[in-house]
Amino acid sequence: MRRTVRVIVAAMLVFFGILVAALFSIVLFILFSNRPQIDKPVKIGGVFIDSIEDDGWSEIHYEGLSEACKELDLPLEIVEHVDETAEATAPAVAELVSKGCNCFFLTSGGFGNNCRKIIESYPNVFFLPCPPNVTRPMYIPISEESMR
């Protein structure tokens, strides 16, 4: 039992580290890519299939994403209890876009190709499904000033 708990805690710590590193890498990519730029502050949106207090998948994603946003001083907006279908995801993404979110973490694999048309309808928004199973490049062109 103790060994199982240690393994779970170790896995969660590794996951948090990977998530922080991924978010940091994305921000660096955004800052230093040679793509067209827009002056817009980076605001992170999180779309979760369950409550962020589910003692599982959504909670671990939220904790890692929240910690990464704190480390990078980025605002975070979330929507919980979103089904992985395009019909359920579209209003959640629209709500977060209306709040200024321009970098999204879709925290379940079903959001990826199931929501491809939604992702394609926001060409200036960066989407990162977890796991990343969407086939188009997903980036948001921003300027260095927007990170200040």
Side-chain angles (χ1 to χ4, degrees):
M1 178 77 168
R2 285 183 157 187
R3 178 178 161 81
T4 303
V5 170
R6 280 190 229 141
V7 169
I8 291 171
V9 169
M12 287 175 35
L13 291 173
V14 168
F15 177 78
F16 289 147
I18 291 170
L19 190 58
V20 169
L23 185 57
F24 184 70
S25 298
I26 290 166
V27 170
L28 286 178
F29 171 78
I30 291 169
L31 286 176
F32 297 108
S33 68
N34 289 327
R35 304 197 186 265
Q37 296 184 346
I38 57 173
D39 292 319
K40 191 172 185 180
V42 174
K43 188 170 187 180
I44 306 300
V47 180
F48 296 86
I49 58 171
D50 288 315
S51 166
I52 59 170
E53 297 174 348
D54 68 356
D55 293 322
W57 182 264
S58 290
E59 185 170 346
I60 291 170
H61 273 90
Y62 175 74
E63 288 174 0
L65 186 56
S66 178
E67 187 62 33
C69 287
K70 286 177 190 170
E71 284 285 323
L72 297 170
D73 195 30
L74 295 172
L76 172 64
E77 294 279 343
I78 66 164
V79 176
E80 301 171 88
H81 304 285
V82 178
D83 189 53
E84 297 170 299
T85 64
E87 295 78 20
T89 306
V93 169
E95 175 187 334
L96 293 173
V97 167
S98 74
K99 292 180 177 181
C101 295
N102 49 20
C103 181
F104 280 82
F105 283 82
L106 305 173
T107 62
S108 184
F111 287 123
N113 284 324
N114 290 348
C115 300
R116 187 174 180 173
K117 289 187 182 196
I118 296 166
I119 291 170
E120 289 173 348
S121 69
Y122 294 98
N124 291 326
V125 174
F126 184 92
F127 288 87
L128 180 67
C130 304
N133 61 347
V134 175
T135 55
R136 82 153 177 95
M138 299 167 293
Y139 68 90
I140 177 171
I142 60 169
S143 68
E144 190 170 339
E145 292 79 34
S146 67
M147 291 298 295
R148 295 189 181 126

